Amino acid sequence: MTVGALLDAGAPAATLIDALETLETGAKFEIEKIRRGGVTASKFRVIVPAEAHAHRHLKHILGMIDKAPITDRAKQNASNVFRRLGDAEARVHGVPVEKVHFHEVGAVDSIADIIGACVALDLLDIGEINTSAINVGSGTVNTEHGMLPVPAPATAALLEGKPIY
């Protein structure tokens, strides 16, 4: 949704897709205008090949980012996002960050979403993002690690000190 919103804000779709294709994940990308509840928006889809890797370590993702021909600013922002995710996961699981095995976030669609958002923000020359309090939900969710609270522990770690409800 973030990439779709940034496309609607004026990020050039062809430039964004070209950047994502350089990651060599084998994924294909589609942008479709949709209407929900009377509101039109761009839906950004990542179509992942069946044989795509679903799990990666931080160093593999950072390597993908480093060799991508995107701006230094987009590389830095994308790398920072994955480092923060890695640090949060390491804290939650009590392991060094080098041992963190990204599951959902290490999948091709998540990598494309995160790097795509960083590239689009750079294309739009957006240097700062501000937000109101984040609704984190409640309850539990069944995950690969079993039943977890909502927000999940790594999400809660990322949001420490931030306004939430």
mmCIF file of all heavy atoms in Angstrom, residues 99-121:
data_model
loop_
_atom_site.group_PDB
_atom_site.id
_atom_site.type_symbol
_atom_site.label_atom_id
_atom_site.label_comp_id
_atom_site.label_asym_id
_atom_site.label_seq_id
_atom_site.Cartn_x
_atom_site.Cartn_y
_atom_site.Cartn_z
ATOM 1 N N LYS A 99 22.677 -14.018 13.068
ATOM 2 C CA LYS A 99 21.953 -15.295 13.093
ATOM 3 C C LYS A 99 20.465 -15.136 12.776
ATOM 4 O O LYS A 99 19.759 -16.120 12.638
ATOM 5 C CB LYS A 99 22.099 -15.965 14.465
ATOM 6 C CG LYS A 99 23.508 -16.300 14.839
ATOM 7 C CD LYS A 99 24.001 -17.486 14.074
ATOM 8 C CE LYS A 99 25.380 -17.895 14.569
ATOM 9 N NZ LYS A 99 26.008 -18.858 13.702
ATOM 10 N N VAL A 100 19.996 -13.897 12.686
ATOM 11 C CA VAL A 100 18.575 -13.665 12.420
ATOM 12 C C VAL A 100 18.244 -14.174 11.033
ATOM 13 O O VAL A 100 18.927 -13.867 10.060
ATOM 14 C CB VAL A 100 18.209 -12.161 12.537
ATOM 15 C CG1 VAL A 100 16.813 -11.902 12.020
ATOM 16 C CG2 VAL A 100 18.344 -11.718 13.982
ATOM 17 N N HIS A 101 17.213 -14.977 10.975
ATOM 18 C CA HIS A 101 16.735 -15.556 9.725
ATOM 19 C C HIS A 101 15.405 -14.884 9.416
ATOM 20 O O HIS A 101 14.411 -15.145 10.079
ATOM 21 C CB HIS A 101 16.554 -17.072 9.916
ATOM 22 C CG HIS A 101 16.560 -17.843 8.655
ATOM 23 N ND1 HIS A 101 17.714 -18.186 8.016
ATOM 24 C CD2 HIS A 101 15.552 -18.327 7.906
ATOM 25 C CE1 HIS A 101 17.423 -18.875 6.942
ATOM 26 N NE2 HIS A 101 16.115 -18.966 6.842
ATOM 27 N N PHE A 102 15.403 -13.963 8.446
ATOM 28 C CA PHE A 102 14.169 -13.270 8.101
ATOM 29 C C PHE A 102 13.213 -14.235 7.420
ATOM 30 O O PHE A 102 13.590 -14.942 6.499
ATOM 31 C CB PHE A 102 14.449 -12.103 7.153
ATOM 32 C CG PHE A 102 15.122 -10.935 7.806
ATOM 33 C CD1 PHE A 102 16.475 -10.711 7.638
ATOM 34 C CD2 PHE A 102 14.397 -10.057 8.585
ATOM 35 C CE1 PHE A 102 17.089 -9.626 8.228
ATOM 36 C CE2 PHE A 102 15.011 -8.974 9.188
ATOM 37 C CZ PHE A 102 16.358 -8.760 9.004
ATOM 38 N N HIS A 103 11.989 -14.228 7.882
ATOM 39 C CA HIS A 103 10.967 -15.080 7.272
ATOM 40 C C HIS A 103 10.152 -14.218 6.321
ATOM 41 O O HIS A 103 10.578 -13.971 5.203
ATOM 42 C CB HIS A 103 10.098 -15.727 8.360
ATOM 43 C CG HIS A 103 10.892 -16.642 9.243
ATOM 44 N ND1 HIS A 103 11.235 -17.913 8.883
ATOM 45 C CD2 HIS A 103 11.445 -16.447 10.463
ATOM 46 C CE1 HIS A 103 11.949 -18.475 9.829
ATOM 47 N NE2 HIS A 103 12.098 -17.602 10.816
ATOM 48 N N GLU A 104 9.003 -13.738 6.768
ATOM 49 C CA GLU A 104 8.148 -12.929 5.906
ATOM 50 C C GLU A 104 8.893 -11.717 5.352
ATOM 51 O O GLU A 104 8.776 -11.386 4.183
ATOM 52 C CB GLU A 104 6.890 -12.464 6.660
ATOM 53 C CG GLU A 104 5.934 -13.589 7.018
ATOM 54 C CD GLU A 104 6.297 -14.319 8.313
ATOM 55 O OE1 GLU A 104 7.287 -13.932 8.976
ATOM 56 O OE2 GLU A 104 5.597 -15.277 8.644
ATOM 57 N N VAL A 105 9.691 -11.060 6.181
ATOM 58 C CA VAL A 105 10.395 -9.852 5.757
ATOM 59 C C VAL A 105 11.532 -10.191 4.795
ATOM 60 O O VAL A 105 11.981 -9.348 4.040
ATOM 61 C CB VAL A 105 10.915 -9.065 6.977
ATOM 62 C CG1 VAL A 105 11.656 -7.816 6.567
ATOM 63 C CG2 VAL A 105 9.748 -8.696 7.889
ATOM 64 N N GLY A 106 11.987 -11.430 4.799
ATOM 65 C CA GLY A 106 13.038 -11.851 3.875
ATOM 66 C C GLY A 106 12.512 -12.377 2.567
ATOM 67 O O GLY A 106 13.278 -12.727 1.672
ATOM 68 N N ALA A 107 11.197 -12.424 2.431
ATOM 69 C CA ALA A 107 10.600 -12.901 1.194
ATOM 70 C C ALA A 107 10.676 -11.815 0.127
ATOM 71 O O ALA A 107 10.745 -10.620 0.431
ATOM 72 C CB ALA A 107 9.148 -13.315 1.443
ATOM 73 N N VAL A 108 10.651 -12.238 -1.128
ATOM 74 C CA VAL A 108 10.808 -11.324 -2.253
ATOM 75 C C VAL A 108 9.803 -10.179 -2.211
ATOM 76 O O VAL A 108 10.166 -9.023 -2.439
ATOM 77 C CB VAL A 108 10.692 -12.096 -3.589
ATOM 78 C CG1 VAL A 108 10.609 -11.150 -4.773
ATOM 79 C CG2 VAL A 108 11.869 -13.048 -3.742
ATOM 80 N N ASP A 109 8.538 -10.468 -1.889
ATOM 81 C CA ASP A 109 7.547 -9.387 -1.902
ATOM 82 C C ASP A 109 7.837 -8.338 -0.836
ATOM 83 O O ASP A 109 7.705 -7.138 -1.081
ATOM 84 C CB ASP A 109 6.116 -9.919 -1.795
ATOM 85 C CG ASP A 109 5.879 -10.777 -0.574
ATOM 86 O OD1 ASP A 109 6.830 -11.320 0.002
ATOM 87 O OD2 ASP A 109 4.703 -10.916 -0.187
ATOM 88 N N SER A 110 8.291 -8.751 0.322
ATOM 89 C CA SER A 110 8.631 -7.789 1.371
ATOM 90 C C SER A 110 9.868 -6.981 1.005
ATOM 91 O O SER A 110 9.929 -5.771 1.251
ATOM 92 C CB SER A 110 8.852 -8.499 2.705
ATOM 93 O OG SER A 110 7.651 -9.088 3.137
ATOM 94 N N ILE A 111 10.854 -7.636 0.414
ATOM 95 C CA ILE A 111 12.059 -6.929 -0.019
ATOM 96 C C ILE A 111 11.690 -5.884 -1.063
ATOM 97 O O ILE A 111 12.129 -4.731 -0.989
ATOM 98 C CB ILE A 111 13.109 -7.933 -0.559
ATOM 99 C CG1 ILE A 111 13.659 -8.775 0.599
ATOM 100 C CG2 ILE A 111 14.227 -7.213 -1.311
ATOM 101 C CD1 ILE A 111 14.502 -9.949 0.167
ATOM 102 N N ALA A 112 10.855 -6.257 -2.030
ATOM 103 C CA ALA A 112 10.436 -5.314 -3.075
ATOM 104 C C ALA A 112 9.622 -4.168 -2.484
ATOM 105 O O ALA A 112 9.780 -3.012 -2.897
ATOM 106 C CB ALA A 112 9.640 -6.045 -4.153
ATOM 107 N N ASP A 113 8.756 -4.462 -1.519
ATOM 108 C CA ASP A 113 7.954 -3.407 -0.894
ATOM 109 C C ASP A 113 8.833 -2.400 -0.152
ATOM 110 O O ASP A 113 8.656 -1.186 -0.281
ATOM 111 C CB ASP A 113 6.932 -3.995 0.084
ATOM 112 C CG ASP A 113 5.745 -4.650 -0.604
ATOM 113 O OD1 ASP A 113 5.474 -4.329 -1.772
ATOM 114 O OD2 ASP A 113 5.082 -5.479 0.052
ATOM 115 N N ILE A 114 9.778 -2.887 0.630
ATOM 116 C CA ILE A 114 10.623 -2.007 1.428
ATOM 117 C C ILE A 114 11.579 -1.208 0.540
ATOM 118 O O ILE A 114 11.669 0.020 0.650
ATOM 119 C CB ILE A 114 11.389 -2.800 2.510
ATOM 120 C CG1 ILE A 114 10.395 -3.319 3.559
ATOM 121 C CG2 ILE A 114 12.484 -1.945 3.150
ATOM 122 C CD1 ILE A 114 10.963 -4.346 4.516
ATOM 123 N N ILE A 115 12.273 -1.882 -0.354
ATOM 124 C CA ILE A 115 13.196 -1.164 -1.241
ATOM 125 C C ILE A 115 12.401 -0.259 -2.179
ATOM 126 O O ILE A 115 12.811 0.877 -2.443
ATOM 127 C CB ILE A 115 14.093 -2.149 -2.015
ATOM 128 C CG1 ILE A 115 14.991 -2.912 -1.019
ATOM 129 C CG2 ILE A 115 14.932 -1.408 -3.059
ATOM 130 C CD1 ILE A 115 15.806 -4.026 -1.628
ATOM 131 N N GLY A 116 11.248 -0.726 -2.658
ATOM 132 C CA GLY A 116 10.405 0.099 -3.523
ATOM 133 C C GLY A 116 9.962 1.372 -2.841
ATOM 134 O O GLY A 116 9.981 2.455 -3.439
ATOM 135 N N ALA A 117 9.580 1.281 -1.579
ATOM 136 C CA ALA A 117 9.176 2.476 -0.835
ATOM 137 C C ALA A 117 10.353 3.434 -0.680
ATOM 138 O O ALA A 117 10.202 4.653 -0.851
ATOM 139 C CB ALA A 117 8.608 2.087 0.528
ATOM 140 N N CYS A 118 11.535 2.908 -0.381
ATOM 141 C CA CYS A 118 12.711 3.770 -0.219
ATOM 142 C C CYS A 118 13.098 4.437 -1.538
ATOM 143 O O CYS A 118 13.454 5.618 -1.553
ATOM 144 C CB CYS A 118 13.877 2.964 0.354
ATOM 145 S SG CYS A 118 13.606 2.466 2.071
ATOM 146 N N VAL A 119 13.012 3.705 -2.635
ATOM 147 C CA VAL A 119 13.307 4.283 -3.954
ATOM 148 C C VAL A 119 12.272 5.358 -4.287
ATOM 149 O O VAL A 119 12.619 6.455 -4.742
ATOM 150 C CB VAL A 119 13.358 3.186 -5.045
ATOM 151 C CG1 VAL A 119 13.362 3.797 -6.441
ATOM 152 C CG2 VAL A 119 14.580 2.293 -4.843
ATOM 153 N N ALA A 120 10.987 5.070 -4.060
ATOM 154 C CA ALA A 120 9.925 6.040 -4.370
ATOM 155 C C ALA A 120 10.062 7.300 -3.521
ATOM 156 O O ALA A 120 9.896 8.415 -4.032
ATOM 157 C CB ALA A 120 8.553 5.395 -4.170
ATOM 158 N N LEU A 121 10.376 7.149 -2.238
ATOM 159 C CA LEU A 121 10.590 8.321 -1.383
ATOM 160 C C LEU A 121 11.736 9.171 -1.924
ATOM 161 O O LEU A 121 11.666 10.403 -1.935
ATOM 162 C CB LEU A 121 10.870 7.894 0.056
ATOM 163 C CG LEU A 121 9.666 7.360 0.829
ATOM 164 C CD1 LEU A 121 10.121 6.628 2.095
ATOM 165 C CD2 LEU A 121 8.698 8.478 1.172
#
